[in-house]
Amino acid sequence: MKRYGNLWPQIIAFENLLTAARKAQKGKRYRPNVLEFNYHLERSLLSLQRELRDKTYEPGKYYTFYIHDPKVRMISAAPYRDRVVHHALCNVIVPLLEPTLIGHTYANRLGYGTHRALKKFVGLARRYRYCLQCDISKYFPSIDHKILKGLLRRKLKCPDTLWLIDKIIDASNPQMPVIEYFPGDDLLTPVERRRGLPIGNLTSQFFANLYLNPFDHFVKEQLKLRRYLRYVDDFVAFGDDWQVLADARAAMEEYLATLRLRLHPTKSQLFETRYGVNFVGFRILPDRIRVRNDNLQRARKRMKLLQGLYGRGEVSLETLVQRLSSWEAHLIHGDTYRLRRKIFDQLVFVREMEDGADSLLAG
């Protein structure tokens, strides 16, 4: 197994830090913390470079908020200078480690994404009789730090890079509590082992993909389930033999326990595809693809919020058009022509002005 070393000079190189800053500010360049950092950009990056080189770098505190999507999720945002460090690290290690991922894990990967996953999913759902669909309970809060560090050390041997990775992982703020017992645990094990990654971090998204990589290979290479794909912690396997998939589920649960993970008790099911399958916001039926009702309701709430933001002048016309186009581009992957016409024909965005109003009809 190849392990990569001598990565530190690439990570702390000024050119890499500059590239990282440009990536980190994408879509956020006018926020106060970004403007402050960029006002003295060279000085800020040189200071960050010095802290990394001298090992005096310390991650800052997270800003935390909650979203309902539809379940409650805790989102943690790192300070901007830390996000620059995250990008600098990922610029170097992701191209080395991503090729070890299977070809059918789709989240947080360049050139993959939701719609490519949906296309593959639809093709499999319409070819096979049964679907084993599973979801991991409280995935991000459950990721075990010791296991994650061990997985990374299988691929990386650069001491300085591992120091930075440990700093980022150890600085993770407390996530939603998860108390689970696994074989070999004593009474205090679940509270003594550190776990949980903040969802908002670029590093967390990549580490979350990597954490389940051994499981992906186990499913495809040992369980021989070739019709398998994963999107974050939602994974599915298709086949025409019900018993094979039922036995596979038991083996999956046993393997996931070695990663200190549990399947969600109600979201993990084996059923016939002809009854419809939910995936990435759509419901896939044998003859059509519908938008899930809960996904549609959340989108309508976002549109209502966007109307208010645009009306108060808090969102520009360019941003408004971009968001509407993005939403339509998502809907177009389903059989949604009539739905899109109905929604967009009813959407009216009005900009309130001192001498009147300026309006935009989305349709």
Side-chain angles (χ1 to χ4, degrees):
M1 180 185 299
K2 184 173 183 179
R3 297 172 68 218
Y4 297 95
N6 196 32
L7 305 176
W8 193 238
Q10 301 174 55
I11 292 172
I12 66 172
F14 184 85
E15 294 79 7
N16 184 47
L17 292 173
L18 180 60
T19 300
R22 288 170 176 163
K23 289 183 177 180
Q25 73 175 6
K26 191 174 181 180
K28 306 178 182 69
R29 60 184 299 183
Y30 296 113
R31 294 184 181 180
N33 55 347
V34 180
L35 290 171
E36 181 181 1
F37 188 92
N38 287 344
Y39 187 72
H40 298 291
L41 180 60
E42 184 175 356
R43 184 188 306 173
S44 299
L45 293 177
L46 287 172
S47 175
L48 202 52
Q49 184 186 50
R50 184 170 57 253
E51 291 177 30
L52 291 169
R53 185 185 62 234
D54 298 342
K55 305 291 196 309
T56 59
Y57 167 75
E58 293 291 339
K61 292 183 178 180
Y62 286 90
Y63 166 70
T64 300
F65 58 96
Y66 294 85
I67 62 172
H68 299 264
D69 192 32
K71 63 183 179 182
V72 177
R73 295 180 187 270
M74 187 174 86
I75 307 296
S76 302
Y80 178 68
R81 73 193 308 269
D82 291 340
R83 297 203 296 273
V84 173
V85 173
H86 298 168
H87 276 275
L89 173 65
C90 288
N91 284 349
V92 176
I93 68 169
V94 169
L96 300 176
L97 303 186
E98 191 174 74
T100 67
L101 302 179
I102 65 169
H104 297 300
T105 178
Y106 290 90
N108 307 310
R109 299 181 70 183
L110 188 64
Y112 285 74
T114 305
H115 300 134
R116 186 171 170 182
L118 177 65
K119 183 178 180 180
K120 179 66 175 179
F121 186 97
V122 171
L124 292 172
R126 290 178 174 172
R127 284 173 57 197
Y128 294 95
R129 182 176 179 182
Y130 297 107
C131 171
L132 173 62
Q133 184 169 36
C134 300
D135 183 276
I136 294 175
S137 180
K138 299 179 181 178
Y139 180 49
F140 276 83
S142 298
I143 292 175
D144 187 273
H145 290 190
K146 183 177 179 180
I147 294 174
L148 174 60
K149 291 176 182 179
L151 291 173
L152 287 161
R153 279 162 170 76
R154 291 183 190 177
K155 305 293 184 183
L156 305 174
K157 62 181 180 180
C158 174
D160 296 326
T161 302
L162 292 171
W163 168 83
L164 178 59
I165 288 172
D166 288 350
K167 273 284 182 186
I168 293 170
I169 294 173
D170 292 342
S172 301
N173 59 334
Q175 303 296 299
M176 293 180 175
V178 179
I179 303 297
E180 293 280 4
Y181 288 89
F182 296 90
D185 286 358
D186 59 31
L187 184 63
L188 297 178
T189 299
V191 295
E192 289 175 341
R193 295 184 72 104
R194 291 210 65 208
R195 61 194 175 279
L197 297 179
I199 294 178
N201 279 3
L202 176 68
T203 48
S204 296
Q205 295 166 10
F206 178 66
F207 292 160
N209 255 354
L210 203 65
Y211 196 80
L212 282 175
N213 189 40
F215 172 75
D216 293 335
H217 284 279
F218 168 76
V219 171
K220 291 182 73 71
E221 296 161 14
Q222 295 189 42
L223 297 185
K224 307 296 183 183
L225 297 181
R226 305 299 185 190
R227 285 79 184 177
Y228 166 88
L229 64 90
R230 176 168 65 85
Y231 191 87
V232 192
D233 62 325
D234 186 358
F235 57 91
V236 291
F238 294 90
D240 290 323
D241 191 319
W242 187 93
Q243 191 60 52
V244 167
L245 293 176
D247 293 342
R249 172 172 173 158
M252 289 174 177
E253 289 185 287
E254 185 176 344
Y255 189 96
L256 287 171
T258 67
L259 297 174
R260 303 187 68 81
L261 299 173
R262 298 276 192 209
L263 290 182
H264 195 288
T266 59
K267 293 183 179 179
S268 302
Q269 299 177 346
L270 173 56
F271 50 87
E272 290 189 62
T273 53
R274 62 177 173 155
Y275 296 118
V277 190
N278 294 329
F279 189 66
V280 294
F282 292 91
R283 184 161 184 80
I284 294 86
L285 297 157
D287 60 342
R288 62 192 184 281
I289 303 173
R290 297 175 53 190
V291 180
R292 288 180 56 183
N293 288 335
D294 56 348
N295 190 41
L296 188 58
Q297 289 171 3
R298 290 197 301 274
R300 281 173 167 156
K301 287 180 180 178
R302 287 196 295 269
M303 289 301 108
K304 187 174 182 180
L305 176 63
L306 193 56
Q307 284 176 316
L309 293 172
Y310 180 75
R312 295 189 297 272
E314 297 176 31
V315 168
S316 67
L317 179 61
E318 180 183 4
T319 300
L320 173 63
V321 172
Q322 183 180 30
R323 292 191 185 181
L324 291 173
S325 299
S326 177
W327 189 37
E328 184 174 28
H330 177 66
L331 292 177
I332 207 169
H333 288 270
D335 299 309
T336 59
Y337 177 78
R338 292 183 181 179
L339 174 65
R340 283 181 283 128
R341 291 283 54 84
K342 180 180 178 181
I343 291 173
F344 287 107
D345 287 348
Q346 293 175 351
L347 279 176
V348 178
F349 292 84
V350 179
R351 174 83 82 189
E352 297 177 2
M353 304 174 65
E354 293 182 1
D355 57 349
D358 183 24
S359 66
L360 170 70
L361 276 67

